[in-house]
Amino acid sequence: MASLCLDLDTSKALQGVVDDDAQRLGNLLESCGVRYVADVSPSGGRHLYIPLAERVSGPEARELVEAMTLLAPSLDPSPHQNVTDGCIRVPGSAHKSGGHQILATPLATAYDILRRRNPASAVAALRLALAPEVRRARELKDRAAKMVATATAHGISPVPFGGSQSPLRALARTGLYDTAKYASPSEARMAVLNHFAACGWTLDQVRLELGGQFPGLAALYANTDRQERLIDKEWAEACRWIQKRGTSPTGKRTTRINDTSPPKPTGGASRTSSKAGTHQLVNDLENILYAVLDHRLKEHGREGLSLRLLLRAVLGYMRTMETDLLDVGCRTFATAMGKHHGTIARLLRTLEQASDGILTKVSDARGRNADAYVIQLPRHFEQLARELSWRSGKIHGIRPVFRALGDAAALVYESIERGRLSPTTAGIVRSTGLSRTAVETALGSMTSYNMIERRHGQWAITAATSLTALARRLGALDDAAEQIRRHRMQRAAWHAWLDRNLVPELAEHEVEDGESDLYWIPPSENELDWCGTLWRVA
């Protein structure tokens, strides 16, 4: 391939989204030192042409363009998806609807770009900038291939896989909607706003994402003035609709909407403790974790890695929810750690035995009540906890970005983030107990995403890199939202079974709504706010 051709098509998204995508991709290319030629179609579409000094293979070009579709929903990758040829209308070409492609770049500039083409170093910089999207595109392709193979093995037609692109999310990204379902842009907007309200978003978060990951919603307003005039009124209507939907005939909300309401302790046991006491307990247990339990759990091999992270998740839950009682189901921790709930159930039993009295089961699951565990500092650890100084920062199980990067990367990042001094590679190997190969692989991966950097042989966190934004680019937030939705459907099915076979306690609002869409986690660049939201909705 001698050139990369980016086709932003109005058949893929509304005009406002196409214009926004063109601006976003242009900024990305310029930041990587890539020069391009642009033109405009009579239909409103846009083309960006990237001439290359050194040819790239077809698969390489396709991978880059498909990665950019995750940033620009209006980008049509089809010109690069054919092995032998691809078609695109160049500047000056006649358009089927009349008129011609109009060159947007000044002629002299376009001539210079085509004569002095982009060097390989600029393409390498672009590939580095798109590293999260390239990884996500590969994962989606692999997942789709596995689904096709499974369906074929069972003799059924494979279902198209689009990742987290549910109809409502696609509407919010592109602005295109099913006219059989929504009679007007106003109804389509309200469907999205109602879902935002149901998922606990605030108006400020909605405004932020109108210019972020959901430009299609903004395009449905036609222009900024109309958006500013209507957004407050429509948001108030969405909030009123959600309150009405979850309210009983007496006017008091007594039931949960299973696909949007945050989970509450199930009532398997009761216990009270002060907030200050809980935070102090967590700090003491962190000291015991780093000084004693981490080393003991290493002896469990591969399972020990998951046990160490589960114990961190337990402490993170305690600090966020300000309680020393774990009275939530395995699916809550499964969502926080990106694992299967069956795995968490097995790990909890092992952790209770290996925690040396820290985690104690006080009641068994029954009906809607989950197993209940109490977390305490055993007497034989009290002296050690007092002698060690508390570490700065917060403890985590698996932050969303590490759902994509893996457990080993989570421990390596924690070692750098919470170390008393900036560690060397050898120091990280000692503190984490991981093999040098695993540590170096994790360091290389995180360095490529600009999460960490090496200074004079020591590793440090790159403060300017947002882990939440990176998790979004890697698709980890979408995966977490899908897992939350799946768990809530499973809970609803279990509650319905209990209702049919035991005491009839289900109210109308707890029945699974067939129209419910994928749960959308409210956005926040504050990591602590995001973690708190995840614990409450999981």
Side-chain angles (χ1 to χ4, degrees):
M1 295 286 180
S3 298
L4 298 179
C5 301
L6 309 183
D7 181 10
L8 305 176
D9 200 338
T10 50
S11 67
K12 294 281 187 179
L14 295 183
Q15 182 65 61
V17 180
V18 171
D19 296 339
D20 183 71
D21 286 348
Q23 181 66 41
R24 182 182 295 108
L25 291 177
N27 292 340
L28 170 66
L29 296 173
E30 290 170 4
S31 68
C32 297
V34 176
R35 301 200 301 165
Y36 62 93
V37 177
D39 69 10
V40 181
S41 166
S43 64
R46 293 173 176 268
H47 294 163
L48 304 181
Y49 308 92
I50 306 172
L52 306 177
E54 298 180 15
R55 289 178 177 268
V56 298
S57 66
E60 287 181 294
R62 174 174 179 165
E63 186 175 64
L64 280 175
V65 175
E66 288 181 345
M68 281 187 266
T69 62
L70 297 177
L71 292 176
S74 67
L75 177 59
D76 181 3
S78 60
H80 283 282
Q81 288 183 324
N82 192 305
V83 176
T84 58
D85 56 79
C87 297
I88 194 166
R89 191 179 291 107
V90 296
S93 301
H95 195 273
K96 60 183 178 182
S97 63
H100 297 77
Q101 293 289 128
I102 300 174
L103 182 66
T105 304
L107 181 60
T109 303
Y111 176 77
D112 182 64
I113 293 173
L114 292 170
R115 187 173 60 88
R116 296 189 298 165
R117 307 167 79 86
N118 289 288
S121 59
V123 179
L126 177 62
R127 186 177 290 107
L128 181 62
L130 289 171
E133 286 73 25
V134 168
R135 180 183 183 127
R136 180 60 173 169
R138 289 174 180 171
E139 290 176 350
L140 291 175
K141 188 175 295 186
D142 291 344
R143 198 178 304 176
K146 290 179 180 178
M147 291 180 66
V148 170
T150 302
T152 303
H154 289 81
I156 59 177
S157 300
V159 178
F161 175 72
S164 64
Q165 276 297 80
S166 61
L168 202 58
R169 185 177 287 267
L171 189 162
R173 293 193 72 204
T174 67
L176 302 181
Y177 58 89
D178 183 357
T179 54
K181 191 172 185 179
Y182 308 112
S184 66
S186 176
E187 291 186 15
R189 291 197 306 267
M190 288 307 302
V192 177
L193 291 176
N194 287 343
H195 199 70
F196 281 149
C199 291
W201 289 45
T202 65
L203 180 56
D204 289 339
Q205 290 170 333
V206 174
R207 290 181 183 276
L208 176 67
E209 294 305 326
L210 287 174
Q213 60 177 323
F214 298 128
L217 179 58
L220 287 171
Y221 285 100
N223 57 66
T224 304
D225 292 339
R226 180 179 174 82
Q227 174 185 311
E228 290 302 317
R229 188 171 71 254
L230 294 178
I231 185 68
D232 291 333
K233 176 184 176 182
E234 292 184 343
W235 180 251
E237 290 179 0
C239 293
R240 283 195 296 270
W241 181 82
I242 291 303
Q243 291 172 353
K244 179 181 178 181
R245 182 188 180 208
T247 303
S248 66
T250 61
K252 181 179 179 181
R253 179 170 176 166
T254 58
T255 59
R256 298 178 62 252
I257 302 175
N258 66 68
D259 62 326
T260 55
S261 298
K264 300 176 181 178
T266 59
S270 60
R271 181 182 175 90
T272 57
S273 58
S274 69
K275 294 181 179 180
T278 299
H279 285 285
Q280 180 174 341
L281 174 61
V282 173
N283 289 335
D284 288 340
L285 290 175
E286 284 184 20
N287 283 340
I288 302 302
L289 168 66
Y290 291 124
V292 179
L293 292 183
D294 259 355
H295 299 283
R296 291 183 183 178
L297 294 176
K298 292 173 189 175
E299 300 174 358
H300 288 258
R302 182 180 294 273
E303 184 181 62
L305 185 59
S306 297
L307 289 171
R308 294 163 67 186
L309 290 169
L310 177 58
L311 185 52
R312 285 161 167 77
V314 168
L315 298 182
Y317 178 87
M318 289 177 60
R319 189 183 295 280
T320 302
M321 306 306 287
E322 297 179 326
T323 179
D324 61 356
L325 180 70
L326 296 186
D327 190 20
V328 291
C330 295
R331 286 173 174 81
T332 298
F333 285 99
T335 300
M337 297 182 64
K339 299 185 183 299
H340 191 272
H341 60 88
T343 302
I344 297 299
R346 175 174 54 82
L347 290 175
L348 274 173
R349 291 192 294 269
T350 305
L351 184 61
E352 181 187 11
Q353 298 172 359
S355 64
D356 201 2
I358 290 178
L359 187 70
T360 305
K361 188 175 182 180
V362 294
S363 68
D364 293 326
R366 182 178 178 82
R368 300 190 186 192
N369 297 338
D371 289 333
Y373 294 85
V374 65
I375 297 91
Q376 57 193 347
L377 181 65
R379 187 175 301 276
H380 56 273
F381 283 138
E382 291 179 355
Q383 182 63 32
L384 178 61
R386 284 196 296 267
E387 292 174 352
L388 297 173
S389 59
W390 293 344
R391 296 198 181 198
S392 60
K394 302 294 183 182
I395 197 165
H396 302 270
I398 290 287
R399 284 177 279 197
V401 68
F402 296 109
R403 294 171 68 104
L405 300 183
D407 294 352
L411 286 180
V412 171
Y413 189 88
E414 180 192 74
S415 177
I416 300 172
E417 181 183 39
R418 304 201 70 194
R420 303 190 190 282
L421 298 172
S422 296
T424 62
T425 301
I428 295 173
V429 172
R430 288 192 298 271
S431 64
T432 61
L434 301 173
S435 69
R436 189 175 186 90
T437 300
V439 169
E440 290 179 344
T441 300
L443 290 172
S445 176
M446 291 189 289
T447 301
S448 68
Y449 297 130
N450 200 34
M451 298 169 61
I452 57 176
E453 56 186 333
R454 197 172 189 178
R455 305 169 186 166
H456 309 294
Q458 296 177 309
W459 293 96
I461 299 299
T462 304
T465 299
S466 167
L467 296 188
T468 303
L470 182 57
R472 182 180 296 117
R473 295 177 63 188
L474 288 168
L477 297 189
D478 291 344
D479 291 342
E482 168 58 25
Q483 189 174 19
I484 290 171
R485 184 197 66 82
R486 185 168 62 253
H487 286 169
R488 288 182 169 181
M489 291 179 64
Q490 293 168 353
R491 287 191 184 105
W494 170 240
H495 292 172
W497 186 92
L498 291 174
D499 180 55
R500 290 192 304 269
N501 294 276
L502 300 176
V503 181
E505 297 177 354
L506 266 188
E508 177 185 356
H509 308 297
E510 292 184 25
V511 178
E512 173 65 17
D513 181 4
E515 297 295 318
S516 65
D517 203 82
L518 182 72
Y519 181 82
W520 295 358
I521 301 173
S524 175
E525 291 305 315
N526 185 310
E527 191 174 1
L528 295 181
D529 289 346
W530 198 100
C531 291
T533 298
L534 183 60
W535 280 122
R536 284 184 284 271
V537 304

